[in-house]
């Protein structure tokens, strides 16, 4: 911040530069107690690819669902994730999938997996038709677990690329996602 103000002052008159009190531009330090009010302490899990297999983690989380899965996907070509959603629907889990309209229609075995998924009972697929792209890569399981991250639901995004996956079991985080789903 000082460098920006200093550069501005070089363009201003010398008298104006002399009147700047740089101490006023520094943020006040936060007292330790202030951090307690920023966010409640809670346990979250954070995982990183390629060191970890995020696809395996997603399949396990989806496989543990007993009642509901609400998933927002941008790129969606991971057949293990697609199959885990189909298996959940087949065992009676209500699965709602929210996709973006800009994603290409897959071919080959991915297209076949998506056909099987959409034909499975308890599966509802919605596609965002208007406005900004739906770029989320997140889901909630049974209203108890919220998963988010940078990885698209693609094999390379979940295994090969530098991406992260966060699992949060905080009821408020899950509720916030569900409200916007």
């Amino acid at each position: 911040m000082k460098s920006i103000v200093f550069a501005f002052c070089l363009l201003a008159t010398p008298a104006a530069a002399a009147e700047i009190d740089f101490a006023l531009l520094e943020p006040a330090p936060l007292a330790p107690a202030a951090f307690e009010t920023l966010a409640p302490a809670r346990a979250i899990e954070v995982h990183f690819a390629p060191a970890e297999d995020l696809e395996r983690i997603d399949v396990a989380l989806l496989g543990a669902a007993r009642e509901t899965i609400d998933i927002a996907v941008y790129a969606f070509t991971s057949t293990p994730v697609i199959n885990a959603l189909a298996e959940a629907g087949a065992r009676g889990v209500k699965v709602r999938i929210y996709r973006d309209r800009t994603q290409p229609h897959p071919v080959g075995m991915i297209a076949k997996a998506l056909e099987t998924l959409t034909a499975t009972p308890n599966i509802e697929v919605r596609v965002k038709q208007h406005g900004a792209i739906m770029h989320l890569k997140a889901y909630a399981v049974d209203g108890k677990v919220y998963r988010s991250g940078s990885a698209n639901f693609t094999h390379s995004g979940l295994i090969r690329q530098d991406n992260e996956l966060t699992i949060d079991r905080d009821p408020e985080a899950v509720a916030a996602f569900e409200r916007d789903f």
Side-chain angles (χ1 to χ4, degrees):
M1 183 72 164
K2 284 183 184 180
S3 61
I4 294 170
V5 173
F6 182 73
F8 174 77
C9 290
L10 290 176
L11 299 174
T13 64
E19 294 178 20
I20 300 289
D21 183 356
F22 286 103
L24 294 176
L25 299 175
E26 292 295 321
L30 290 175
F35 289 105
E36 295 171 12
T37 62
L38 294 178
R42 65 180 192 235
I44 60 171
E45 295 175 39
V46 182
H47 303 274
F48 296 93
E52 295 177 84
D53 182 343
L54 304 184
E55 195 170 52
R56 182 190 56 77
I57 294 168
D58 278 326
V59 168
L61 284 169
L62 296 169
R66 298 292 167 249
E67 297 173 13
T68 61
I69 298 171
D70 290 333
I71 183 169
V73 296
Y74 182 66
F76 190 40
T77 60
S78 165
T79 51
V81 171
I82 293 168
N83 292 340
L85 291 168
E87 290 165 10
R91 66 176 183 271
V93 175
K94 181 181 177 188
V95 179
R96 298 188 306 165
I97 302 166
Y98 189 44
R99 299 193 61 192
D100 187 73
R101 71 187 176 285
T102 64
Q103 290 303 294
H105 297 294
V107 296
M109 68 179 207
I110 295 167
K112 179 74 172 146
L114 286 170
E115 286 174 20
T116 300
L117 174 66
T118 58
T120 303
N122 303 307
I123 304 290
E124 173 190 343
V125 179
R126 293 182 291 149
V127 178
K128 183 175 183 180
Q129 297 296 332
H130 305 288
I133 63 171
M134 196 299 300
H135 200 246
L136 292 172
K137 301 117 179 159
Y139 58 80
V141 175
D142 294 338
K144 297 176 183 171
V145 177
Y146 171 61
R147 179 270 199 219
S148 64
S150 59
N152 282 305
F153 293 100
T154 65
H155 184 72
S156 62
L158 294 168
I159 293 183
R160 293 190 201 114
Q161 300 169 358
D162 288 332
N163 278 306
E164 65 84 27
L165 178 153
T166 301
I167 301 168
D168 193 338
R169 289 177 172 78
D170 178 62
E172 290 180 25
V174 177
F177 176 75
E178 295 286 349
R179 273 193 304 276
D180 285 344
F181 187 76

